[in-house]
Amino acid sequence: MKVYNHLYESLFFKIIFIVSLITSGISFVHAQRTLTVGGTNWSVAVPSITEAGTNYTGSYESETNQILLAASVPLLLGSGKVSVHYEANPTWHSSLILSAKRTGNGTTACLACSITGGTTYLTLSTTDIELFRIQALLALASYSNIPVQLGVSGVSVTIPAASYNSRIVFTISSL
């Protein structure tokens, strides 16, 4: 029993998941659409296993505002699609599943603007997937502090002990 306990504690100390963000100050511009990404790196704290034959919980969530986005789309019937994907940085295990969701609308002074979609977890892949949309009807749609929460699932003792890292990439484009 003691040998198994030590083995699983050893795995705990070696498995670290870190999600790196493209931090504030970097903007993606496309036809007057802008997107600025802020927040902090997320390091998942996986608790140690204390009993042989036990597995990890499997799913972990970041703070609800782990990432804060600022986005704007042009005047008069302008729209923007915010997409997201991940990149291994440098290593990611295929059994680990990253997901993201928008947990609020952020703040805006625009009364005739809307933000829709992305309020349930979307599984991320290495290709872009739409997270949410912004629509400007009569004015510039400018939102700040749009909160995004991250999740990781598939954590198991069957995954080799290592540090797995990825980078979450957000883009904005026209519809």
Side-chain angles (χ1 to χ4, degrees):
M1 189 76 108
K2 190 71 167 166
V3 172
Y4 289 114
N5 196 13
H6 176 69
L7 173 66
Y8 289 120
E9 285 177 6
S10 175
L11 285 175
F12 163 70
F13 289 113
K14 291 181 183 176
I15 296 179
I16 300 172
F17 304 98
I18 299 173
V19 176
S20 300
L21 303 176
I22 298 173
T23 57
S24 60
I26 299 175
S27 297
F28 299 93
V29 180
H30 179 69
Q32 299 177 358
R33 287 165 188 79
T34 62
L35 180 65
T36 303
V37 181
T40 58
N41 290 343
W42 177 43
S43 180
V44 179
V46 178
S48 60
I49 293 178
T50 57
E51 188 172 326
T54 306
N55 202 347
Y56 294 109
T57 303
S59 297
Y60 302 90
E61 292 181 312
S62 72
E63 297 293 324
T64 57
N65 62 346
Q66 188 70 43
I67 300 170
L68 294 172
L69 302 176
S72 62
V73 298
L75 304 169
L76 292 173
L77 303 175
S79 59
K81 174 177 74 170
V82 175
S83 300
V84 61
H85 71 272
Y86 79 89
E87 298 171 349
N89 185 30
T91 306
W92 191 252
H93 195 278
S94 61
S95 294
L96 299 172
I97 300 166
L98 279 173
S99 55
K101 70 177 177 178
R102 180 175 59 85
T103 57
N105 290 340
T107 55
T108 185
C110 181
L111 299 175
C113 300
S114 64
I115 184 169
T116 57
T119 56
T120 59
Y121 274 118
L122 299 170
T123 300
L124 305 184
S125 70
T126 55
T127 57
D128 272 340
I129 182 171
E130 181 180 319
L131 184 59
F132 62 88
R133 292 180 181 201
I134 296 175
Q135 185 72 42
L137 297 180
L138 301 173
L140 172 70
S142 180
Y143 285 84
S144 61
N145 296 318
I146 303 167
V148 175
Q149 183 174 25
L150 301 174
V152 63
S153 59
V155 179
S156 172
V157 295
T158 62
I159 296 174
S163 292
Y164 297 101
N165 301 287
S166 67
R167 180 187 336 251
I168 307 296
V169 180
F170 295 87
T171 56
I172 190 167
S173 61
S174 60
L175 294 175

